[in-house]
Amino acid sequence: MEMQQIFVTRPSMPPYEEYVKMIEPLWESHILTNMGKYHCELEDRLKEYLDVPQLSLMVNGHMALELVIQAFCFPKDAEIITTPFTFVSTTHAIARNQLKPVFCDVKEADGTIDENRIEDLITCKTVAIVPVHVYGHVCNISAIQRIAEKHGLKVIYDAAHAFGVRYRGKGIGCYGDASIFSFHATKVFNTIEGGAVSFAEKELYDRLYNLKNFGIRGEELVAEIGTNAKMNEFSAAMGLCNLKYIQTAIEQRKRGYDLYKRMLTGLKGIRFLNGSSEATGNYGYFPIVVEEEYGESRDALYDRLRKNGIHCRKYFYPLVCDQECFAEQYRTTELTVARRLAQNILTLPLYEGMGEDVIERIVKQCLRAGERK
Ligand code: T4K
């Protein structure tokens, strides 16, 4: 019998009939995009679910970040302090705005930006901080806010991984000047491709609207130079269907996450990253750190799992600053922890509806190399 292949994630999908029923009216209306009915409905529903004051829906998480950075109109060549331990999109969004990323080290415990190292990197050119709630782990929001206020900087959170996370009783998108979310197929909540920006300042809504719709304000009026980053009706319909099941999706992920933790706890050389105790989790990822005492390198474990049909990911290796497109282009900073983490990190498969037997199969492979403490 052929071995079942397991991938790092598997998109959540609503019941087929529900989606088909949802998209059927599109054959009547023929309105397929450009802020249609489902687009507006999803924008409202997400504002409510994410518990944020303002929200603008986008075609994907990347454009959400690229456009919100653009919306703040920072001077060209200004510097933005960010993390190298992220998906390349975070840095691309900064660089594509002709701004300079300055990479700050991260923390061993959760992989988020090390707030104690930010101030040393601030120069007269610094305009903003773009931290990432990596794996849905919440950054040290109060410390970052204090630094930003002291130096007059904007804070734009890359919350691509943090859908539905609540911190100190509020939606995660309420913090900082803005946050972006990703609704990509591989995320906790998906619209196939999609994303959003959340923010407090009302005026930002019009600005983002212009940027995502060519700056069009009327049939004969283009008010500014924008691009096209609108979400279409098929994606919005997928979002409306998936949103109905989000609670179950997160609960199922939590069950998988807890089972992994129970079964791997005590395995020599395997360390977990922990999110803040003041935040709720969305269990989007299950990263482990493979340390020396494990007796096998992260890469060897990755290869062995792969040979056994288990396709993990080294999220996030190599560090973004070491990628060919960025290497040696920006100011060098000390990134000891980030380098070590990137070298040892492995994200194990986790998704909605993942069977216990699948997790047991993965854990069995991990146990083969490690020794119980
Ligand atoms: N900021 C951060 C911190 C991010 O992590 C991301 C995206 C962004 C910003 C930008 O948001 P978006 O513009 O993407 O909305 C994946 C995702 O494509 C990406 O969304 C995500 N982060 C990143 C962490 O992971 P890849 O290159 O690893 O994806 P891929 O296609 O190799 O998929 C991984 C596995 O998932 C596959 O082995 C199989 C499975 N899969 C994938 C897709 C696309 C499926 O089963 N079905 C599918 O449709 O980047």
Side-chain angles (χ1 to χ4, degrees):
M1 209 175 68
E2 222 179 277
M3 185 166 44
Q4 189 208 349
Q5 302 296 306
I6 302 161
F7 297 97
V8 70
T9 187
R10 196 184 69 174
S12 295
M13 294 176 85
Y16 174 73
E17 297 72 25
E18 272 186 37
Y19 183 63
V20 170
K21 201 166 160 222
M22 192 84 173
I23 59 172
E24 211 176 272
L26 300 177
W27 269 259
E28 289 291 317
S29 72
H30 290 252
I31 303 287
L32 307 185
T33 187
N34 288 6
M35 327 312 175
K37 178 172 174 270
Y38 290 153
H39 177 285
C40 300
E41 204 175 318
L42 184 63
E43 212 167 67
D44 286 345
R45 298 285 311 283
L46 285 173
K47 203 162 101 174
E48 211 175 289
Y49 181 79
L50 294 172
D51 190 17
V52 292
Q54 306 289 335
L55 184 126
S56 179
L57 213 51
M58 294 280 169
V59 68
N60 57 48
H62 175 79
M63 287 310 286
L65 187 56
E66 195 171 310
L67 294 188
V68 73
I69 292 174
Q70 190 180 348
F72 283 110
C73 300
F74 298 123
K76 224 171 140 191
D77 278 339
E79 294 180 354
I80 293 199
I81 297 174
T82 186
T83 162
F85 189 68
T86 181
F87 189 57
V88 71
S89 164
T90 317
T91 320
H92 280 341
I94 297 170
R96 287 173 56 81
N97 271 295
Q98 325 302 328
L99 299 161
K100 289 205 161 65
V102 174
F103 299 105
C104 180
D105 210 352
V106 300
K107 289 176 293 187
E108 197 94 57
D110 62 5
T112 64
I113 197 163
D114 186 344
E115 61 279 3
N116 293 317
R117 294 183 174 268
I118 294 176
E119 275 197 289
D120 282 351
L121 302 174
I122 296 175
T123 69
C124 56
K125 285 190 163 182
T126 312
V127 290
I129 310 171
V130 175
V132 179
H133 299 306
V134 68
Y135 313 123
H137 297 159
V138 175
C139 301
N140 188 333
I141 287 177
S142 348
I144 293 171
Q145 196 56 38
R146 260 197 311 277
I147 297 167
E149 278 166 22
K150 182 169 158 199
H151 297 273
L153 310 176
K154 296 279 183 211
V155 183
I156 303 165
Y157 284 105
D158 181 338
H161 301 175
F163 185 86
V165 168
R166 297 184 68 81
Y167 178 69
R168 295 186 177 166
K170 288 200 323 198
I172 193 66
C174 293
Y175 297 94
D177 294 280
S179 298
I180 72 95
F181 295 91
S182 163
F183 311 146
H184 184 259
T186 55
K187 297 292 191 293
V188 170
F189 165 77
N190 85 79
T191 58
I192 309 171
E193 289 269 5
V197 185
S198 68
F199 46 93
E201 239 183 80
K202 255 199 157 118
E203 303 74 64
L204 209 53
Y205 188 87
D206 282 347
R207 179 93 179 103
L208 288 168
Y209 188 97
N210 282 353
L211 290 176
K212 76 177 172 188
N213 189 30
F214 307 104
I216 296 175
R217 299 309 300 196
E219 253 180 74
E220 297 181 8
L221 174 64
V222 176
E224 64 177 302
I225 304 171
T227 183
N228 181 359
K230 291 164 276 138
M231 179 180 282
N232 71 65
E233 290 293 272
F234 288 83
S235 279
M238 187 69 157
L240 287 166
C241 290
N242 273 335
L243 199 55
K244 278 204 237 163
Y245 298 96
I246 189 66
Q247 220 38 51
T248 325
I250 293 176
E251 278 162 22
Q252 284 194 17
R253 282 173 170 279
K254 181 177 185 323
R255 272 207 292 279
Y257 186 99
D258 289 345
L259 183 62
Y260 264 133
K261 251 193 153 163
R262 231 179 15 254
M263 294 184 79
L264 289 171
T265 294
L267 188 61
K268 235 183 185 171
I270 296 292
R271 179 168 74 82
F272 308 122
L273 297 184
N274 293 309
S276 159
S277 59
E278 290 181 280
T280 62
N282 68 7
Y283 310 96
Y285 296 88
F286 192 81
I288 56 169
V289 184
V290 185
E291 296 183 321
E292 217 174 307
E293 313 88 78
Y294 183 64
E296 188 178 59
S297 70
R298 183 273 312 269
D299 287 349
L301 175 60
Y302 169 89
D303 289 342
R304 195 157 52 75
L305 286 165
R306 208 180 161 89
K307 264 194 216 113
N308 285 281
I310 301 156
H311 304 263
C312 300
R313 277 298 164 93
K314 301 172 193 174
Y315 293 141
F316 290 99
Y317 170 85
L319 291 183
V320 168
C321 52
D322 295 338
Q323 290 288 359
E324 201 178 305
C325 61
F326 294 123
E328 288 160 37
Q329 267 196 52
Y330 300 115
R331 192 140 71 83
T332 321
T333 51
E334 207 197 304
L335 300 168
T336 320
V337 180
R339 282 194 201 291
R340 191 163 56 232
L341 208 51
Q343 205 61 49
N344 298 329
I345 200 84
L346 191 64
T347 301
L348 302 185
L350 182 63
Y351 45 86
E352 180 189 354
M354 194 174 179
E356 285 192 11
D357 56 325
V358 176
I359 295 185
E360 279 159 12
R361 185 176 138 198
I362 298 166
V363 169
K364 216 162 111 192
Q365 286 299 328
C366 295
L367 293 178
R368 269 178 51 179
E371 228 184 277
R372 286 276 172 203
K373 269 179 200 161

